[in-house]
Amino acid sequence: MIRVLLVDDQRLLRSGFRALLDLEDDIEVVGEAGDGLEGVALARQHLPDIALIDIQMPVVDGIEATRRIAADPALAGVHVVILTNYGFDEYVFEALRAGAAGFLVKDIVPEDFLHAVRVAARGDALLAPSITRKLIDRYVNQPLHTGSGSGTGLEELTNREHEAVALVAQGLSNEQIADRMVISPLTAKTHVNRAMAKLHARDRAQLVILAYESGLVTPRGH
């Protein structure tokens, strides 16, 4: 059973999402919150698999709520998925940096919404390659986001794990990584997951950011 927490200050929107999720046999809504502070408290209380969190809310906004969830070891199993009206914008970018696993636009069609919830619950490909590329494009245009690579844990990676991380940072899916490295998709996923564990990255989005911050990957033209 996939346990979902809804955090949005628009009650009507929460009701719509809940009605959709309640129709599914494998999904359970464990709580609702109208602001980020209450959302974090309910996340600690219910330990959901997925926390669907709006960005702009009163008391504590979605970015800070995401940051608090990501920083709490007891909530390591909670995947935060950001809800936004605007697609990939600066708020979403900052939420991903804060620890969100991905994002959804609020006008998403029901079938895609349910699919995204199930994908997020599995922890697989929380950012589609096209979204990862948008993250990269936005990230490399911010000059303050650079690093030397020291103290990041990259020295613990094997050569194959280094290669897999670099390919993730280029926006490739596990299947594409497997083709590039001439290995099976399962082995590619294993390399990525081991690298995430060693680097303490919650998800692929964090892995991409770490790859650029550490200097493992240098943007083309830079």
Side-chain angles (χ1 to χ4, degrees):
M1 183 69 70
I2 300 171
R3 295 161 51 81
V4 177
L5 172 66
L6 299 173
V7 186
D8 195 300
D9 61 332
Q10 298 180 49
R11 184 175 299 176
L12 183 61
L13 189 71
R14 293 202 314 268
S15 297
F17 280 137
R18 179 163 201 147
L20 186 63
L21 293 169
D22 281 344
L23 292 174
E24 303 302 305
D25 294 335
D26 61 333
I27 299 175
E28 175 188 9
V29 177
V30 296
E32 295 183 35
D35 64 70
L37 185 63
E38 183 184 7
V40 173
L42 287 179
R44 289 172 177 150
Q45 178 182 345
H46 295 292
L47 298 178
D49 301 299
I50 304 295
L52 295 171
I53 299 181
D54 185 28
I55 286 184
Q56 296 179 314
M57 293 183 296
V59 187
V60 170
D61 65 21
I63 296 174
E64 179 58 26
T66 299
R67 187 175 291 113
R68 294 182 187 185
I69 289 173
D72 189 340
L75 301 179
V78 179
H79 299 293
V80 174
V81 178
I82 291 296
L83 298 171
T84 177
N85 288 316
Y86 310 109
F88 195 90
D89 58 17
E90 287 297 330
Y91 292 113
V92 170
F93 177 77
E94 290 304 320
L96 292 171
R97 286 185 58 82
F103 77 94
L104 298 173
V105 290
K106 292 183 179 181
D107 61 354
I108 188 172
V109 299
E111 294 80 6
D112 289 345
F113 172 70
L114 294 171
H115 175 70
V117 168
R118 292 185 173 100
V119 167
R122 292 198 307 266
D124 293 337
L126 299 177
L127 290 179
S130 60
I131 301 302
T132 305
R133 283 190 286 271
K134 290 181 182 179
L135 172 61
I136 293 167
D137 291 341
R138 184 64 55 88
Y139 181 80
V140 299
N141 288 326
Q142 304 214 8
L144 295 179
H145 297 161
T146 58
S148 63
S150 59
T152 61
L154 286 173
E155 64 278 0
E156 298 182 18
L157 301 184
T158 66
N159 290 337
R160 297 297 264 174
E161 290 165 356
H162 266 275
E163 187 178 354
V165 171
L167 293 172
V168 168
Q170 293 176 29
L172 273 62
S173 66
N174 286 340
E175 289 73 18
Q176 292 169 322
I177 292 171
D179 288 341
R180 289 283 191 92
M181 297 179 65
V182 196
I183 55 179
S184 72
L186 180 59
T187 301
K189 183 177 180 179
T190 298
H191 286 321
V192 172
N193 287 345
R194 285 178 178 170
M196 287 172 58
K198 290 179 180 179
L199 300 176
H200 306 290
R202 288 173 63 94
D203 48 58
R204 294 173 81 93
Q206 297 296 298
L207 201 59
V208 170
I209 290 172
L210 206 157
Y212 280 101
E213 284 184 328
S214 67
L216 174 64
V217 177
T218 303
R220 292 189 181 93
H222 289 243

